[in-house]
Amino acid sequence: MRRPRKGELPAEVPARDGLPVLSLIGDDQEGLAEQIARALGAAEPRRVPHESIDVDNMRREVRDDRGSDESAPDHLPPPWQRSELCRRMLVKLAAEYSSARNGRDQRVRFRRFGLVNWLLEMTYTAEEPNSQHAQDMLRRLRDREIQRRPLLGFARSPSTEVALQGSVPWWAYLLGLHVLPLVWFRAWRVLGSEYRWLLRQPYMAPGDPGTFDGFALRLTQPRWGREDPVQITKLMINAFLEDLRVAYRRRPWRRRAYRRTAYCVAYLKGVSESNDGRALVRTFAQVRNETGAFDPLLIVTSCGENDHDHAEVLELYDELGPYETWCESLRTQGRSRTVDFWYLPVRVPAPLPESHSGRARQRVRNSAAARISVPRPPHGTGPLPIVGAALTALLLVAAGIGYAIAGERDWQEQHCGLSRSHRDADTLVRESTGECVGVAPHGYAFGSDDGSVKKTLTTIAEQNTEAERIHREVPGRPLVTLVHLSALLSPSGEASGAQSYAREQLQGAASAQRRQLDRRGRTIPCCGSSRPLRVPACATGTWSRGS
């Protein structure tokens, strides 16, 4: 049950993985069940997720609830009783493995099995569904999704995934109208992992009819649709095992998967042919062979000396231990594995009487076997390193943002306070004296507050654009650039009489440029065409350009 830090068991056999079905054979089943539960619960440094199921008692409950009265609407024939027994077993196991007693890091969310179980338990009869059955299923499924959302986590219990939800509280439903709108719910039925998996798994021919709604309807009325109960059972087992596989699958973004250092254990007490326990265990093995996937579940069964059907039973204290013997079989077996290959039958001797000479040795062996230790989670997977890494990342991001803001502020200060998006920023620079000089062909006013100056420079910029357009349309019309030098501000940064003169010069240049641009049909003798004029701005003034 100890999980390796890398890969899966058995670590002794490279390129092979798998857990055997440990079949304990002995007459003292009550004492054996108590000893196993005590050892797994007291494991160090933390308990091993485990659950014990009395197969005889559960089979009796199924027979009393669903098989005694043949006239009852929910009566199940024997093949379906076996499927119901499997469902109840899996529900009990899922409730335990998702329990809070295992700690936050070891809890498993059974999304796929929870969905399959919910659909199978929607109706109990074999009667033909009415015309509103499909709409009722989708409505109830949407209510279930509302309860499963993290925002409504305080309305959930650890076993919500596998429980049949009742009516949704009115406040939760109203909130769900905003959190889970109908359009989103329809999209989630396409994008949700459990919904997509249900249409890709190999059992019950999910391609018929090929949509989730249609396949879900088949699961809500399996007996009316004459579905195969064996396929239903395999679908439930595969869904249960797939949820375990996902929980144990190591990925860089799944911290909890690395902290799962022990496999889940399912102890089935009193497995026999009469209570259908043996058939269900074989079904587990068949699903393993048919899917070919590793299952992080150790199944332990117990039966009496006269209840097993194994051809060879290993002794607990053989020179080569039972598990080592099974690993050697795995090494030589190759990829072709039968159902019987998964079984590891081991005889467990009954407790010796107090007067027996070997009683002391047996007590010591039992005490040593009861001390179970599992590996500690790897360093760096706990909450503190994750929080530290997150804070470090936030600090680095904040420092990077601060550095970028400071760099941008310095750049703007060097370019007359203009942002990088301003078209004149690259051609302007602030001198050490604080003056802003450079070329401003796109209307920058060099800090002047004079509205007339700003308007004139904007007009010149627009006419410059028009001059370039005319030159592109008529390439034979040359482009002439006139540079206009002027000081738009006094050294003190205030307007003066000189600035009024500069404003009038700019207005005259703009008017001259406008006249030249309008002379499209006339030619100049020296050049053979009229010349559009462009007037950019230069230095602490403006400049003109034409062609």
Side-chain angles (χ1 to χ4, degrees), residues 224-531:
W224 174 79
R226 295 181 175 85
E227 302 289 349
D228 184 2
V230 176
Q231 289 287 305
I232 294 286
T233 303
K234 290 184 176 181
L235 171 61
M236 290 189 294
I237 293 175
N238 192 31
F240 178 85
L241 295 178
E242 180 64 20
D243 286 323
L244 286 177
R245 297 182 198 116
V246 172
Y248 277 77
R249 190 172 295 147
R250 293 185 178 102
R251 293 291 185 272
W253 56 90
R254 287 179 180 163
R255 176 182 58 86
R256 294 184 180 181
Y258 291 90
R259 297 182 62 81
R260 300 184 190 274
T261 58
Y263 298 113
C264 296
V265 178
Y267 177 65
L268 308 181
K269 173 192 167 188
V271 170
S272 65
E273 194 68 36
S274 60
N275 60 21
D276 292 330
R278 188 179 301 168
L280 290 181
V281 174
R282 292 184 66 86
T283 306
F284 267 90
Q286 290 172 0
V287 172
R288 284 185 175 181
N289 284 339
E290 292 166 359
T291 60
F294 174 81
D295 304 324
L297 175 67
L298 176 60
I299 301 177
V300 182
T301 68
S302 67
C303 63
E305 285 285 353
N306 300 324
D307 292 334
H308 72 88
D309 59 350
H310 302 291
E312 181 183 2
V313 179
L314 303 178
E315 298 298 331
L316 190 60
Y317 303 115
D318 286 342
E319 182 178 357
L320 183 62
Y323 179 67
E324 288 74 13
T325 302
W326 185 83
C327 288
E328 286 301 318
S329 300
L330 179 64
R331 190 190 307 273
T332 59
Q333 183 76 15
R335 300 293 182 181
S336 59
R337 304 169 185 174
T338 63
V339 172
D340 294 333
F341 164 78
W342 294 103
Y343 288 93
L344 176 56
V346 179
R347 179 173 287 106
V348 180
L352 297 175
E354 291 294 338
S355 58
H356 197 280
S357 60
R359 174 63 177 173
R361 182 187 304 176
Q362 188 183 58
R363 185 183 297 110
V364 171
R365 287 177 174 176
N366 291 341
S367 177
R371 291 194 301 271
I372 298 178
S373 62
V374 297
R376 292 184 177 275
H379 296 291
T381 60
L384 292 181
I386 298 298
V387 173
L391 292 178
T392 302
L394 289 177
L395 290 177
L396 291 176
V397 171
I401 294 176
Y403 181 80
I405 293 176
E408 181 67 19
R409 187 183 297 112
D410 293 342
W411 192 91
Q412 293 182 7
E413 182 66 21
Q414 296 173 3
H415 294 265
C416 303
L418 300 180
S419 64
R420 295 180 186 271
S421 60
H422 198 287
R423 293 185 294 175
D424 284 334
D426 292 334
T427 56
L428 297 174
V429 64
R430 188 183 300 276
E431 296 290 339
S432 58
T433 58
E435 294 179 322
C436 186
V437 298
V439 179
H442 301 290
Y444 177 63
F446 291 88
S448 175
D449 294 331
D450 193 323
S452 299
V453 171
K454 292 181 178 180
K455 182 178 179 181
T456 302
L457 290 175
T458 301
T459 300
I460 292 175
E462 293 174 352
Q463 294 178 166
N464 286 341
T465 302
E466 184 178 355
E468 293 175 350
R469 179 184 59 79
I470 294 174
H471 178 66
R472 288 194 301 269
E473 294 176 354
V474 186
R477 193 172 181 183
L479 198 64
V480 178
T481 300
L482 301 179
V483 179
H484 180 82
L485 296 175
S486 62
L488 297 181
L489 291 177
S490 65
S492 62
E494 298 179 356
S496 62
Q499 276 73 50
S500 300
Y501 177 71
R503 180 180 61 248
E504 294 175 356
Q505 287 182 316
L506 287 174
Q507 292 173 346
S511 299
Q513 183 186 31
R514 181 72 267 169
R515 290 193 299 270
Q516 187 67 17
L517 291 173
D518 292 339
R519 296 169 59 187
R520 299 191 180 187
R522 301 173 58 185
T523 61
I524 298 177
C526 67
C527 301
S529 65
S530 59
R531 300 179 180 181

Side-chain angles (χ1 to χ4, degrees), residues 2 39-48 371-376:
R2 300 180 183 89
L40 295 176
E44 293 293 339
R46 53 182 179 176
R47 74 192 303 271
V48 176
R371 291 194 301 271
I372 298 178
S373 62
V374 297
R376 292 184 177 275

Side-chain angles (χ1 to χ4, degrees), residues 102-135:
N102 294 314
R104 294 179 58 88
D105 292 337
Q106 296 192 101
R107 297 176 65 180
V108 180
R109 292 195 65 182
F110 290 90
R111 299 173 182 267
R112 295 154 189 83
F113 174 68
L115 177 61
V116 172
N117 177 66
W118 185 88
L119 292 171
L120 290 173
E121 287 296 283
M122 182 176 172
T123 55
Y124 290 94
T125 68
E127 299 176 357
E128 181 180 1
N130 57 38
S131 59
Q132 298 297 321
H133 183 68
Q135 290 79 358

